[in-house]
Amino acid sequence: MTGPVSSFDDRLESAAALALQIASGDLEARRSVSNHGDAIDALVSSLNMLAEELQHERKGRRRAEEALQDEVDAYERGPALFCSLDGDSLDVETCNGTLATAVGLPKSQIIGRSVLELYNPEFRELAERWFRGLPLSASADGSEAHLARADGGHVIVSTGASRIRSGTGRERLRVVFRDVTAERRLESQLAQAQKLEAIGRLSGGVAHDFNNILSVVTGAAALLADQLAAHSLESEDVVLIQEAVARGASLTRDLLAFSRRQASRAVSTDVRNVLLEAVRMVERLVGEHIVVTADLPSEPLHVLIDPSQLSQVLINLAINGRDAMTMGGRLHLRVDPIPASQLDASATELPAGSYARIRVTDSGVGMTDDVRAQAFEPFFTTKPAGKGSGLGLSVCYGIIRQVGGRITLQSEPGNGTTVEMFLPLMSGASHSVLPSGSPTPRGGRETLLVVEDDPAVCMVTRRILERAGYHVSSAQNGRDALAVAERIGYDIDALVSDVTMPSMGGIELGAELRRRKPTLRVLYLSGYTENLAAMAVPLESGSDFLGKPFTASTLLVRVRRLLDERAAPLSRESMARETMAREAHDGLSREGPSQEAPQPVCHERWPPSPRGG
Amino acid sequence: MRQMEADEVQDGPDVADVYAEPDGTIVLRFHHQTRLTLDHTRGVTRAQIELSRGEKRAVLADVRGLISSDRGSRELAAGPTIAAVTARMAILVGNPLTRLIGNFFLVVSAPAYPTRIFSDEVLARAWLQEDPS
C-alpha cells in the first residue's frame, strides 16, 4: 500500500491513479487513507473497499468456474453415455465425449442426426417407439439395445431417459446409455462354459454305461475266442467283434476326455519334449504342402499332465489345421513360459501363477463367428459326413481343462486360426515313462475277490480270472463284498473292484479290507473316474488302476503284475493316503496333485533346434 | 474507557469503548484514527454479545474515529452473529470519510438488521428509541 500523500492535488492524483489500477484489473492495489477525514479520504477509502469487493468477487467466480469445469469434465468423460434429444424429431442436440468415443464418431457426426441412426437397424423401430412413448416429466428404463460402432462392431447398452420441458416450452429428452458390453460377454462365456459342462456330464454318463457294455462284449469275445480253432471262420468273426469294440472304446474314451472324466496318468511333463514329438508326427500327417514350424524355449517347462493326452491335443489341432489348408499353408507351434508377473489374469481368466502357453496357428480358411462359437461342442463339425467325429476340439477342451488350464480359439474367415492353451507350470523335473511293451498274460492260483455292480461285467470278469486258474469270489456291492471276505476269513490275495458302486465304492471297500489284511492288493476298475492325481492316490506298490473297457489279456496281465509286486505290508502312510483318496472321491476333501512321480525318474531328452520359426 | 456501571461495561479491544446504558442501549465508540480489521471487530462483537445478555438491543455505533474498515470486519458486523443481538443500529458519522464508510457498510454489506446513518447523536438516539412498529 502506498503511504499518505501531502498536498490536495497529490492526494487527488493518487486517488485517480488508484482508480486506474483497479479499472485495469489490479485488484491488489490500495492507497493509505490519511487522517484528514475529508472527501479525498472518503474517495480513496471507497476505492480501496471497491477493490476489496471486486477481489472477493473474482475469487468466488474462479471457485465457481472450477466447480463448473469439474462438472463438465465429469459429464464429458464420465463412464455414462449422455445425450439430449429434440423431443419431436429425436435429433441429437448434445452428447458427451464418452458417447462419441463409444460409437467411434466425432461429435460433429452425431449432433444434428437422429438418435435412431446410432442404433443397429434391428433396434431402431423399438427404440423410436419407446422414446416417443415416454410421457412428459417421466423417467424410464428401456430394454437393452445395440449401438453401431463406426468400425463395424457394436456396443451393448441399457437405456434410461426422461422427457422434460425446457424454459422455452420445447420438449427435450435426456438420455443416458450404460455400456454393458463387457458384462454380456462374461455372461455369454459363463453360459457357454455351463453348457459344455452339462454336455460333458451327459456324455460322461453315457460313456460310462457304454464302457460297461463293451467290457461284457470284449470279455465274452475273448472267452469265445479261446474255444475256437485259430484261423477258423468263427474266430475271424470274433476278431471283428473285438475290433468293433476297440472302435467303440475309442469313441467313449474321447467322450470321457471331453467330459474331463477320462482316467489319466498325470505326471510332471516337459512340454517341449511332447511338442517336439508331436511336430515329428504332424509333419508326417499333414503332407508336404504344409510347412510345419515350431518355436521352443531353451528352458524346460514342466506341467502336470498325461503326456499322451497332451500329444493327442496337439495332433488333433494339427489335423484341424491341415483340413483348413487344403491348398497348402503354414502350421506353427509355439510354447512360451508366462511367469506370474506377466499374466494378465483378468484377460485370460486364469488364477494367478505361472503358465506354459502353447499356440497352434494355421493359415487356413478360418472360422465364422457362428462356427467359432460352437467349435468346442462335441459332435459339432464342418467336415463332410464320415470325415470327422466332431470330437477333436471337444477332447482338447476336456484334456486342458482337466489339468486346470484354459484353451481359447481366435479365428476369422480368411485369416487362419490360432488355438491358445495355458497350462499351469509346476516345479520339479521328474518325468516318468509308463512301461511299454505287451507282456504275455499269465494266470495264477491266488484267491481273488471281484466286486462289480453290473452283473454282466461281474460275470465276465470272474470267468476270465477263473479260466486263468484263480480262485475267485464275487459280490455286486461293497457291503456284500465285506460279508464274503469275512466268510472266507479275509484270505484274499487281491481285490478287483469297480470304483463307482452304490452305498460303498471300491476305494472305501479297499481301505476297509486292508485294515484287516494289510498285504491285500487292489486293482481298481472304472471307465468313469476323476483324474487320479486329483484324488491324491499315487499308484504305488499294492494298487493299480485299469480303465474300462479292458481286454481279457490286459486284465490278466495287470492282476498278475499286481500280485507279483507283493512284498511287505502296506505302510501306515500308504493306508493313510488311501483314506485321503476315499475322502476325496466322496468329495469330503481334496488334496493337491502329488509332486512325486510314481515311476523311477528318466533323464530328459534335450530337444534339438526347432525347424523354422 | 467510559464506565457507567461496573457490571455493564466490557473491556473492548483497543479500538473501541463498548458499554451498556441504563435504558439497555449498547454503545460502541471507536477510537480516533482507527483502521478497523476483522480481529478488532471480533473483539467488539464479543463485548457486545456479552453486554446484550441474550437479548436484541438497540446499538449506537460511533464510527467518527474510523479511518478505514476491511471487508472482513464489515461482513462480520453485517452478519447473523451481530444480528442475533441487535434490534437496530444507528451509525454515527462525522466527515465525508466516515460517511463513506457508513454508506459502504449499509449498501454493500447490507446488514441483516435495521440500520441508519446519522451525523447527530441526539437524532440517532431518538431513532433508536422509536417503536419499531
Side-chain angles (χ1 to χ4, degrees), chain A residues 143-416:
Chain A
S143 56
E144 288 183 3
H146 292 188
L147 300 184
R149 285 186 51 85
D151 60 6
H154 64 268
V155 180
I156 305 175
V157 295
S158 63
T159 310
S162 56
R163 183 181 287 273
I164 58 168
R165 195 187 297 282
S166 67
T168 60
R170 197 163 59 86
E171 289 190 8
R172 302 172 75 192
L173 288 166
R174 294 252 165 84
V175 181
V176 55
F177 299 111
R178 194 169 68 87
D179 188 344
V180 296
T181 309
E183 291 171 36
R184 295 298 164 260
R185 185 177 70 238
L186 284 174
E187 286 173 2
S188 171
Q189 288 172 356
L190 178 63
Q192 177 70 357
Q194 288 173 334
K195 180 172 127 183
L196 292 179
E197 189 72 24
I199 294 173
R201 282 198 296 274
L202 180 63
S203 307
V206 168
H208 167 250
D209 292 342
F210 198 57
N211 273 342
N212 277 347
I213 295 169
L214 291 179
S215 296
V216 174
V217 173
T218 193
L223 292 170
L224 187 60
D226 286 345
Q227 300 177 47
L228 297 172
H231 308 300
S232 64
L233 279 175
E234 292 78 5
S235 69
E236 288 176 8
D237 290 341
V238 170
V239 168
L240 286 175
I241 292 172
Q242 289 172 324
E243 287 174 353
V245 167
R247 284 197 298 276
S250 174
L251 185 63
T252 60
R253 197 164 43 245
D254 285 350
L255 275 177
L256 286 171
F258 167 70
S259 69
R260 290 182 275 159
R261 286 170 170 80
Q262 180 189 39
S264 66
R265 286 178 174 256
V267 295
S268 179
T269 302
D270 186 357
V271 173
R272 302 175 307 162
N273 293 341
V274 178
L275 202 77
L276 267 179
E277 278 291 328
V279 166
R280 294 195 184 101
M281 277 191 278
V282 164
E283 283 178 329
R284 290 194 291 274
L285 273 171
V286 298
E288 292 179 353
H289 62 307
I290 294 174
V291 176
V292 181
T293 57
D295 273 326
L296 304 175
S298 56
E299 296 298 318
L301 294 176
H302 288 279
V303 301
L304 188 68
I305 195 169
D306 185 329
S308 62
Q309 289 187 341
L310 180 57
S311 183
Q312 183 181 5
V313 167
L314 297 172
I315 300 294
N316 283 356
L317 295 177
I319 291 173
N320 281 355
R322 176 200 65 186
D323 293 341
M325 295 184 284
T326 54
M327 304 302 292
R330 183 188 175 94
L331 183 70
H332 184 63
L333 294 86
R334 182 188 177 96
V335 60
D336 297 287
I338 305 294
S341 59
Q342 292 179 16
L343 181 72
D344 185 348
S346 61
T348 58
E349 297 168 9
L350 287 164
S354 302
Y355 291 83
R357 183 183 62 197
I358 303 173
R359 281 182 173 154
V360 179
T361 304
D362 67 64
S363 59
V365 295
M367 302 179 190
T368 62
D369 285 352
D370 291 345
V371 170
R372 193 177 67 242
Q374 300 179 79
F376 289 116
E377 290 184 18
F379 303 114
F380 174 80
T381 180
T382 58
K383 297 173 187 173
K387 294 296 183 184
S389 64
L391 286 174
L393 281 177
S394 311
V395 168
C396 297
Y397 180 90
I399 289 171
I400 298 300
R401 299 285 289 189
Q402 189 175 18
V403 299
R406 184 171 177 269
I407 180 170
T408 58
L409 185 152
Q410 293 100 41
S411 185
E412 285 181 8
N415 283 338

Side-chain angles (χ1 to χ4, degrees), chain A residues 33 35 37 42 49 52-53 56, chain B residues 33 35 71 74 95-97:
Chain A
V33 178
N35 55 0
M49 287 191 280
E52 208 175 10
E53 291 296 323
H56 179 76
Chain B
Q33 296 188 15
R35 299 178 194 276
R71 189 176 184 279
R74 293 195 299 273
N95 58 26
L97 174 59

Side-chain angles (χ1 to χ4, degrees), chain A residues 85 90 115 119 127-134 161 163 173 175:
Chain A
L85 315 177
L90 300 184
V115 70
Y119 286 85
E128 182 176 11
R129 211 163 42 237
W130 186 76
F131 280 128
R132 294 198 182 284
L134 203 59
R163 183 181 287 273
L173 288 166
V175 181

Side-chain angles (χ1 to χ4, degrees), chain A residues 32-39 41-43 45-46 49-50 52-53 56-57, chain B residues 33 35 67-72 74-75 95-98 100-101 104 108-109:
Chain A
S32 180
V33 178
S34 68
N35 55 0
H36 291 84
D38 58 5
D41 280 348
L43 176 63
S45 182
S46 70
M49 287 191 280
L50 175 65
E52 208 175 10
E53 291 296 323
H56 179 76
E57 288 295 316
Chain B
Q33 296 188 15
R35 299 178 194 276
I67 291 180
S68 66
S69 72
D70 68 9
R71 189 176 184 279
R74 293 195 299 273
E75 289 298 305
N95 58 26
L97 174 59
T98 55
L100 178 277
I101 291 173
F104 213 93
V108 178
S109 301

